[in-house]
Amino acid sequence: MKEKIDQLFENEAQLPKISSVVSKVMEMVGKPDVVIADLAKEISKDPGLTAAVIKLSNSAYFRPAKPVKTVQESLMTLGIKTVQEIVLLNETKGILKKELKGYQVDGESNWLHSLIVAELAKRIAVQKKLKVDKDVVFTAGLLHNIGKVILAEFFPAVLMQFRTELQTYQGPYTDLEAKFFGYTHQEAGAKLLAKWNFPEELIEVARYYTEPEKATQFPELVSIIHIANCIVILGGMGIDIGGLKIPLSSKALQNVGVTEGDLQMYYTLLPEMAKHIEELISV
């Protein structure tokens, strides 16, 4: 099975992909001297993306101070990083909304899970006054489990065996992924984001969000996403075949300074956040 997945990564035409315009936008936003007019011109090369940016910019979720009519107005009203969020939301929607049959998660549930993890992670970063870019936190939360999209393609062939062994297995189900596929979904996700030339912090989140104690370059960011993911799973949003088998890391709580009281507060925020996210999904 590992050989088949290796072949998939070698044949990029079969991998989920992002457009050349989005790749260029990500590259431009990463530069400190990016010019808004140049960024607007790049986004405007894609008519579908242009329409999506304007439509999402005017949504209740982003709440612009005034109606947005052009990409440049969106950039000036909401800011470059927020527009980057919008671009990625539009681009990854089709990928993350795919039904993950092997994981026993439908597309809508996985998309909602990704969005709420992103939203909660950003709120944690703000509430704890952490020195991380809240827009990077949102993006990391959005993409944290994208590796499941890769492994889901191969799941049907081993699903019955996987499910049977999972019933008595006491360890993390990602160990079973490695056994049956030769990859965990975290490893697959990290490889995919590397193929997309995404920043190292996003790759490390995808690789270690279930094992934040192993993160070496961006432990704080990885820990935020880990905590948000665990809380959202506990809230019943996006539970997959592994159920509640990912334990909440005490090291992650220490890295971020999250207390038991904080955890309870975050959990109670989930219904309000789900309603807030629905404003985004409905656009």
Side-chain angles (χ1 to χ4, degrees):
M1 192 69 75
K2 185 178 186 297
E3 290 75 16
K4 291 181 179 179
I5 298 175
D6 285 337
Q7 289 173 9
L8 177 67
F9 276 111
E10 288 171 9
N11 185 358
E12 294 189 21
Q14 297 180 29
L15 286 172
K17 54 181 66 70
I18 58 174
S19 75
S20 58
V21 170
V22 173
S23 295
K24 182 63 176 178
V25 168
M26 290 291 292
E27 179 187 337
M28 293 173 72
V29 170
K31 296 178 180 178
D33 58 348
V34 61
V35 177
I36 284 180
D38 293 342
L39 193 56
K41 184 177 179 180
E42 186 64 34
I43 293 172
S44 298
K45 288 179 180 178
D46 185 327
L49 180 58
T50 298
V53 166
I54 294 171
K55 189 175 182 181
L56 283 166
S57 295
N58 286 299
S59 69
Y61 181 86
F62 288 106
R63 295 183 176 87
K66 60 180 181 179
V68 169
K69 299 176 184 177
T70 67
V71 171
Q72 183 146 335
E73 285 181 6
S74 177
L75 287 162
M76 295 178 69
T77 302
L78 300 179
I80 290 173
K81 292 296 183 68
T82 298
V83 173
Q84 179 192 22
E85 277 183 27
I86 292 172
V87 167
L88 279 173
L89 279 170
N90 180 70
E91 188 72 5
T92 59
K93 182 178 180 179
I95 299 171
L96 294 172
K97 279 190 74 172
K98 287 184 178 178
E99 188 170 356
L100 306 180
K101 290 183 178 179
Y103 284 96
Q104 299 178 336
V105 179
D106 63 69
E108 288 290 343
S109 295
N110 187 53
W111 179 232
L112 181 62
H113 169 83
S114 300
L115 288 169
I116 294 181
V117 169
E119 174 80 4
L120 178 57
K122 186 160 71 169
R123 293 199 189 190
I124 291 171
V126 171
Q127 187 256 336
K128 301 306 293 184
K129 298 179 181 178
L130 301 174
K131 294 180 180 179
V132 290
D133 188 323
K134 63 182 178 63
D135 300 295
V136 172
V137 173
F138 184 92
T139 302
L142 183 69
L143 300 173
H144 72 284
N145 68 353
I146 198 167
K148 290 180 180 178
V149 174
I150 302 294
L151 296 192
E153 180 176 337
F154 300 91
F155 230 130
V158 301
L159 180 58
M160 294 308 296
Q161 293 172 275
F162 191 101
R163 187 182 292 163
T164 298
E165 192 160 338
L166 186 63
Q167 289 175 355
T168 56
Y169 189 72
Q170 297 301 312
Y173 82 99
T174 49
D175 288 353
L176 293 184
E177 288 179 332
K179 175 182 177 180
F180 283 97
F181 302 117
Y183 284 99
T184 65
H185 73 271
Q186 301 99 298
E187 291 169 333
K191 283 178 72 70
L192 178 61
L193 295 184
K195 285 281 186 182
W196 288 353
N197 295 315
F198 273 26
E200 285 296 325
E201 55 261 55
L202 301 183
I203 295 171
E204 184 160 279
V205 167
R207 178 64 184 87
Y208 294 120
Y209 83 92
T210 66
E211 306 169 292
E213 56 280 350
K214 293 184 179 180
T216 55
Q217 291 182 278
F218 309 97
E220 192 173 64
L221 176 62
V222 175
S223 295
I224 295 168
I225 306 305
H226 169 81
I227 294 167
N229 177 70
C230 286
I231 293 171
V232 174
I233 290 291
L234 187 62
M237 300 172 182
I239 295 180
D240 62 16
I241 195 172
L244 302 175
K245 284 185 174 288
I246 297 176
L248 183 59
S249 166
S250 58
K251 179 64 174 177
L253 297 176
Q254 180 183 339
N255 286 343
V256 182
V258 168
T259 66
E260 185 65 34
D262 290 329
L263 290 174
Q264 293 176 10
M265 179 191 65
Y266 300 149
Y267 185 78
T268 61
L269 288 175
L270 292 180
E272 179 262 323
M273 273 192 290
K275 184 177 180 181
H276 188 43
I277 290 295
E278 284 174 7
E279 298 172 349
L280 186 60
I281 293 176
S282 64
V283 174

